[in-house]
Amino acid sequence: MNGNKMRTFLEIIYNCPFILLVIFTSLVFVLFFDGAKEHKDEQEVAVLRLSDEGAEEENSEKGNDIAEESGQKKDDSIENDFENEAEKKADSAQNAGARKEKEDEMTINKDRKTDHTDPGNTGKAGRVEKHTTEFVEYAPIETNSRYYSDAGKIALTTVHDYVLENESYFNDAAFLGDSRTLGISDYAGLAGADFFCDNGMTIYKLLEDDGVTYQRTGEKVDLKEILQEKHYGKIYIMLGMNELGYGDTPMYLKQYLKVIRQIKEWQPGVIIYVMANLHVSREKNNMETEFNNININDKNVASARLANGRDVFYLDCNPLFTDEEGYLQAELTFDGVHLYAQHYDKWRDFLFEHGVEREEVLQTEADGQGKGFEKMGGSDGGSASQ
């Protein structure tokens, strides 16, 4: 009986070409739609980096009110699409080869869209040359970790015409981070800066209700409140070491993006420095766990993509402290992770050498964000005055 039903079904299929055409067309549509969506998701980080620049150009052409509304719509759209990208990458983390291909294509697209207009700053008023973070590629190795893959590239410090600064540059700066940032607080001699950092701090806990220690007083504070009450000219962020075994790299990047967006909303006109995580020594590098330099580099490459060369910059001090193979030099560290106190002066000098002066850009942004500054109500006193 079942055999007769099967023969009848096959006869209907063979005698009705229309049904075959419908089935074939449906399969083609599904394959094309998934491919197009994946291609769109691959470019979201590149689009994200350029979104602020696009909003700035639209602001100069159509007026501040129109630009503000358009920028908000664009930002909301990017956030929704980026969530899809993070979920897709999390589901396919084991496919290292495919992810490497996607990363390379995103980098190419990002470089194509980089704005190098008016390199001599002689064109439209208020326009300045914009740079990107550059990457050096290498042959990646295969990993079977669900937390990371080999990025196949190293992120370099964002290209920019940096200015040599001194300690006064940090009088309106805030540093947010973990135990490495604590080392800068204790030994780099930047007394004018505010430091909000803890051992074990992560990008996921930074803006949570549990708070973070304000090193000037030693007390826990709600960083959300601080960033809405005081205005900083520069904010340095260094987080990622304690996230090596928590979530995967796309998840880390998504949260980092969320934090930067929130800071920029609360701190109009601020310069954000995304600081690379320092590598560990050969002895501490453990490929049997997630605590290794490949994972650290994967997180660094991810966070470096958030730099736009305009108000977000990526700084990598690893070349100061690592050997030819990328390991933290054993003679510079007491535990394979943290520097001896006497070596933080190199880190301080590196920060001095990478100052960004943005008076012209700040003036352009202030014209379109006056309402934001008014809401802040100004901030006097302490090292957060401006």
Side-chain angles (χ1 to χ4, degrees):
M1 185 68 176
N2 291 336
N4 292 334
K5 288 183 178 180
M6 178 60 69
R7 285 194 296 272
T8 301
F9 175 75
L10 292 175
E11 289 173 359
I12 294 174
I13 293 297
Y14 289 135
N15 293 325
C16 298
F18 177 75
I19 295 177
L20 291 174
L21 180 61
V22 170
I23 294 174
F24 177 76
T25 304
S26 300
L27 290 174
V28 170
F29 175 79
V30 170
L31 292 174
F32 176 79
F33 179 80
D34 288 344
K37 184 177 184 302
E38 182 177 357
H39 181 72
K40 175 184 176 184
D41 290 340
E42 292 167 4
Q43 303 182 40
E44 290 306 327
V45 174
V47 173
L48 167 69
R49 186 185 57 79
L50 296 165
S51 62
D52 289 338
E53 299 170 5
E56 179 186 354
E57 293 176 359
E58 186 173 358
N59 182 53
S60 63
E61 294 174 358
K62 297 184 179 180
N64 297 331
D65 294 335
I66 297 177
E68 182 176 355
E69 180 181 356
S70 175
Q72 182 62 46
K73 290 180 180 179
K74 192 178 298 183
D75 195 61
D76 292 342
S77 175
I78 292 171
E79 184 170 4
N80 292 333
D81 290 335
F82 188 79
E83 290 177 358
N84 294 334
E85 180 204 16
E87 293 172 0
K88 181 185 291 292
K89 286 189 175 182
D91 292 339
S92 59
Q94 72 276 12
N95 192 347
R99 291 182 62 180
K100 171 67 168 60
E101 183 177 351
K102 293 178 184 179
E103 290 169 354
D104 291 345
E105 184 169 351
M106 283 191 294
T107 303
I108 293 172
N109 288 330
K110 179 170 65 175
D111 291 341
R112 285 175 180 171
K113 296 181 180 180
T114 303
D115 183 1
H116 292 288
T117 303
D118 193 21
N121 199 26
T122 59
K124 295 182 180 179
R127 292 294 299 277
V128 295
E129 183 179 4
K130 299 178 179 65
H131 300 285
T132 62
T133 299
E134 298 179 352
F135 299 85
V136 175
E137 298 184 2
Y138 63 87
I141 65 172
E142 290 221 21
T143 64
N144 57 5
S145 173
R146 63 189 180 92
Y147 297 102
Y148 69 97
S149 63
D150 192 334
K153 61 187 72 176
I154 299 172
L156 306 180
T157 293
T158 303
V159 178
H160 187 77
D161 295 328
Y162 295 104
V163 178
L164 180 62
E165 303 288 354
N166 54 39
E167 290 184 19
S168 64
Y169 181 75
F170 300 90
N171 289 343
D172 65 345
F175 285 77
L176 319 179
D178 51 29
S179 58
R180 261 87 171 268
T181 310
L182 271 172
I184 297 176
S185 174
D186 292 339
Y187 306 117
L190 303 178
D194 283 348
F195 285 85
F196 302 91
C197 42
D198 282 305
N199 290 320
M201 181 54 62
T202 70
I203 194 70
Y204 306 104
K205 298 191 297 183
L206 186 65
L207 299 180
E208 293 300 311
D209 294 336
D210 291 342
V212 58
T213 302
Y214 178 37
Q215 296 303 315
R216 197 177 295 277
T217 64
E219 299 178 352
K220 287 276 188 180
V221 297
D222 188 334
L223 190 57
K224 299 188 300 296
E225 293 182 0
I226 298 294
L227 293 177
Q228 293 177 78
E229 293 173 357
K230 295 183 178 181
H231 181 68
Y232 292 96
K234 309 102 185 176
I235 291 182
Y236 294 79
I237 308 174
M238 183 167 57
L239 291 165
M241 289 297 294
N242 300 302
E243 294 87 336
L244 295 180
Y246 181 84
D248 59 11
T249 300
M251 178 180 173
Y252 168 77
L253 177 58
K254 178 181 176 182
Q255 182 63 21
Y256 218 129
L257 164 65
K258 181 179 178 181
V259 169
I260 285 183
R261 279 187 178 146
Q262 187 60 79
I263 290 175
K264 291 175 72 173
E265 178 182 335
W266 290 336
Q267 298 281 314
V270 71
I271 302 170
I272 297 177
Y273 295 94
V274 175
M275 298 174 65
N277 291 286
L278 198 62
H279 287 188
V280 297
S281 68
R282 184 186 297 272
E283 181 181 4
K284 281 290 184 180
N285 188 68
N286 189 345
M287 294 304 299
E288 295 182 0
T289 69
E290 279 65 49
F291 197 79
N292 57 69
N293 286 334
I294 292 180
N295 193 2
I296 294 173
N297 183 61
D298 196 35
K299 301 299 185 291
N300 283 345
V301 167
S303 60
R305 292 192 181 126
L306 299 176
N308 57 24
R310 186 174 65 90
D311 57 2
V312 183
F313 300 84
Y314 176 76
L315 300 181
D316 181 18
C317 69
N318 272 290
L320 297 175
F321 306 112
T322 56
D323 59 24
E324 295 81 2
E325 298 180 75
Y327 296 107
L328 181 60
Q329 297 177 45
E331 63 272 19
L332 304 181
T333 175
F334 59 90
D335 61 356
V337 180
H338 302 88
L339 297 174
Y340 283 117
Q342 63 265 31
H343 299 301
Y344 279 94
D345 59 343
K346 292 183 180 179
W347 206 328
R348 177 198 61 214
D349 293 343
F350 175 82
L351 296 178
F352 282 175
E353 294 167 359
H354 290 83
V356 175
E357 298 291 347
R358 294 184 54 231
E359 285 81 359
E360 294 182 11
V361 177
L362 285 172
Q363 181 59 49
T364 301
E365 293 180 349
D367 292 340
Q369 298 177 345
K371 294 181 180 179
F373 283 106
E374 291 174 6
K375 289 181 181 179
M376 293 292 294
S379 59
D380 297 329
S383 63
S385 61
Q386 181 172 358

